């Protein structure tokens, strides 16, 4: 247990210090550096950042839980990514690269009027705030189950650390810490998959046959008549529109396009980051299926109260069946997934506040120093707000439902405008 705690602490301290170090580098006092890294960030790091932003700690656990409980139907969501990615690469990326403003929503004012810009940017800010709250809150609940940590302490420590390096280092800190966090996340998932493959009761091939015979490898019904169930086509169409919203109108992603060195690099950034999620999500789904085979082959090992909740089986396996050290690595990977998403929401949120509100309604041109101070105080404000609300909803059980409802309504209207 002590080695696991040491790994988690080392990750938190190391990531925070690494992100904060960008404050002491050239250009830290420029709004251009804070919001788009000076437009000189390497494509591979931006691609990892896009991937890390897409994967949250919820995805890390929700995908295995879904596959454990049902089948590979959840993987169909990833199959839609190449189609949405091609649309974004052909149309959205060049479009944003041509704009003079770093905000994704400035164009809407020229097209429809100021109301459209304020509507879209306001919806984005609400969604991102709720997203940060949800991720911090659910991460804290998970770590309480995994390690026995205090929920308020997790919310405050993870929230403050993420806010600190986002506020001090700007987009460069967010992108480079995202790149490190993406590697940790992928490594943690592969380690867990390898442990499951090596510890299946009857071997890997027999386990795959058992899963296949039980229908656990099914992608869902291919019926074109049933649109009221989670068929292959329902999930696929949903995924196309969901990913068009992510890659096409979400400031968290569009900022990465602008931060790339060239149009070609921007397209590679978006498409590579998006496509990386496809094999990684397959790893998550495979973990869920192999976990089902593992549990089936070892009746009575997993407590009945854990088996009663599919979401609890994977966390139980991490704590009780992974060797010490590997458990800490997996927990660090889960925290990394949360921090990468929250840092992106804080940076993009402060950028929108500057571009669509502070600069838009200022009667005179805002000085460079004032812009940077505004960005840092906005990041601080958004971070404190997210931490405060996450602490306030500790006894609420419908956070996820609220998030889904807000995301559907608000992002649907935004996509419609574009």
């Amino acid at each position: 247990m002590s080695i696991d705690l040491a790994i988690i602490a080392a990750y938190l301290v190391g990531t925070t210090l690494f992100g904060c170090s960008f404050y002491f580098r050239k250009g830290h006092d420029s709004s251009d550096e804070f919001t788009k890294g000076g437009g000189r960030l390497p494509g591979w790091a931006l691609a990892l950042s896009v991937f890390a932003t897409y994967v949250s700690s919820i995805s890390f656990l929700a995908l295995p839980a879904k596959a454990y409980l049902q089948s590979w139907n959840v993987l169909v969501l990833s199959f839609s990514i190449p189609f949405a990615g091609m649309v974004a690469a052909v149309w959205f990326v060049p479009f944003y690269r041509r704009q003079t403003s770093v905000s994704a929503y400035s164009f809407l004012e020229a097209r429809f009027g100021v109301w459209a810009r304020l509507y879209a940017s306001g919806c984005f800010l609400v969604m991102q705030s709720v997203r940060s709250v949800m991720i911090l809150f659910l991460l804290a609940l998970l770590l309480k189950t995994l390690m026995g940590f205090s929920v308020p302490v997790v919310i405050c420590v993870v929230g403050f650390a993420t806010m600190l390096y986002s506020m001090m280092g700007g987009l460069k800190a967010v992108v480079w810490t995202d790149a490190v966090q993406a590697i940790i996340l992928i490594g943690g998932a592969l380690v867990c998959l390898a442990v499951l493959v090596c510890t299946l009761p009857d071997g890997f091939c027999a386990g795959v046959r058992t899963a296949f015979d039980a229908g656990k490898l099914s992608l869902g019904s291919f019926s074109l008549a049933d649109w009221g169930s989670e068929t292959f086509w329902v999930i696929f169409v949903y995924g196309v529109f969901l990913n068009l919203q992510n890659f096409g109108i979400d400031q968290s992603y569009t900022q990465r396009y602008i931060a790339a060195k060239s149009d070609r690099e921007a397209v590679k950034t978006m498409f590579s980051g998006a496509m990386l999620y496809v094999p990684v999500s397959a790893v998550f789904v495979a973990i869920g299926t192999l976990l089902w085979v593992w549990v089936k082959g070892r009746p009575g090992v997993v407590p009945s109260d854990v088996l009663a909740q599919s979401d609890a089986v994977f966390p139980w396996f991490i704590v009780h069946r992974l060797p010490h050290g590997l458990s800490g690595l997996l927990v660090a990977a889960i925290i990394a997934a949360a921090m990468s998403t929250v840092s992106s929401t804080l940076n993009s949120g402060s950028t929108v506040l500057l571009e669509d509100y502070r600069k838009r309604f200022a009667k005179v041109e805002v000085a460079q120093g004032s812009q940077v101070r505004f960005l840092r105080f906005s990041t601080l404000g958004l971070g404190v707000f997210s931490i405060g609300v996450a602490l306030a909803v500790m006894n609420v059980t419908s956070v996820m439902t609220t998030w889904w409802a807000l995301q559907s309504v608000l992002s649907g209207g935004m996509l419609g405008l574009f």
Side-chain angles (χ1 to χ4, degrees), residues 58-376:
I58 312 308
S59 306
F60 199 104
L61 297 165
L63 290 178
K66 189 81 168 175
Y68 172 87
L69 185 64
Q70 297 177 354
S71 65
W72 281 39
N73 176 247
V74 68
L75 189 60
V76 177
L77 197 67
S78 299
F79 296 164
S80 66
I81 286 179
F83 296 89
M86 284 189 286
V87 172
V90 171
W91 192 80
F92 281 112
V93 174
F95 169 77
Y96 287 118
R97 296 279 299 180
R98 291 194 300 267
Q99 301 305 304
T100 57
S101 173
V102 69
S103 169
Y105 313 115
S106 59
F107 167 77
L108 293 176
E109 180 175 1
R111 182 68 179 84
F112 298 113
V114 67
W115 69 267
R117 181 177 186 175
L118 296 181
Y119 167 78
S121 61
C123 288
F124 173 79
L125 288 169
V126 171
M127 283 197 305
Q128 296 299 72
S129 297
V130 175
R131 188 184 194 191
S132 295
V133 168
M134 181 197 72
I135 289 172
L136 288 174
F137 173 61
L138 294 181
L139 173 69
L141 288 182
L142 173 65
L143 294 187
K144 179 183 178 181
T145 302
L146 283 174
M147 311 293 290
F149 293 161
S150 163
V151 170
V153 169
V154 171
I155 291 173
C156 291
V157 170
V158 175
F160 179 77
T162 309
M163 177 188 69
L164 184 62
Y165 75 72
S166 301
M167 179 177 67
M168 295 186 67
L171 187 65
K172 277 188 177 179
V174 171
V175 168
W176 284 108
T177 53
D178 278 359
V180 173
Q181 289 161 342
I183 294 170
I184 294 173
L185 189 155
I186 294 171
L190 290 175
V191 164
C192 194
L193 181 66
V195 171
L196 276 167
V197 169
C198 294
T199 58
L200 289 177
D202 301 315
F204 177 71
C205 293
V208 171
R209 282 196 300 270
T210 300
F212 180 82
D213 292 340
K216 304 297 287 187
L217 305 183
S218 169
L219 294 175
S221 169
F222 285 85
S223 171
L224 292 173
D226 183 8
W227 293 93
S229 304
E230 293 182 357
T231 65
F232 178 95
W233 299 112
V234 168
I235 299 298
F236 182 81
V237 173
Y238 166 72
V240 169
F241 282 96
L242 176 68
N243 288 309
L244 279 176
Q245 292 169 13
N246 287 328
F247 304 137
I249 66 171
D250 192 320
Q251 178 75 25
S252 302
Y253 297 92
T254 62
Q255 258 180 265
R256 270 67 172 176
Y257 311 157
I258 300 171
K261 297 177 181 178
S262 64
D263 291 355
R264 182 180 177 84
E265 281 286 293
V267 171
K268 288 171 59 179
T269 288
M270 188 285 306
F271 205 70
S272 301
M275 290 301 296
L276 180 59
Y277 180 76
V278 179
V280 174
S281 64
V283 171
F284 287 144
V285 171
I287 287 173
T289 302
L290 293 180
L291 191 59
W292 177 85
V293 175
W294 190 93
V295 172
K296 184 177 176 63
R298 287 181 168 84
V301 172
V302 183
S304 57
D305 59 326
V306 174
L307 291 176
Q309 295 180 298
S310 60
D311 290 343
V313 179
F314 187 32
W316 181 91
F317 182 84
I318 291 173
V319 173
H320 297 281
R321 289 293 161 169
L322 290 183
H324 289 305
L326 288 184
S327 294
L329 174 65
L330 261 292
V331 173
I334 294 168
I335 297 173
M339 292 178 75
S340 62
T341 306
V342 172
S343 65
S344 295
T345 65
L346 294 178
N347 184 264
S348 58
S350 63
T351 300
V352 166
L353 285 171
L354 174 68
E355 294 290 327
D356 295 314
Y357 294 90
R358 178 72 177 90
K359 290 170 67 173
R360 170 62 182 79
F361 294 103
K363 295 182 179 179
V364 296
E365 184 176 349
V366 182
Q368 188 63 219
S370 180
Q371 290 185 35
V372 175
R373 285 193 296 274
F374 182 86
L375 285 166
R376 291 208 164 97

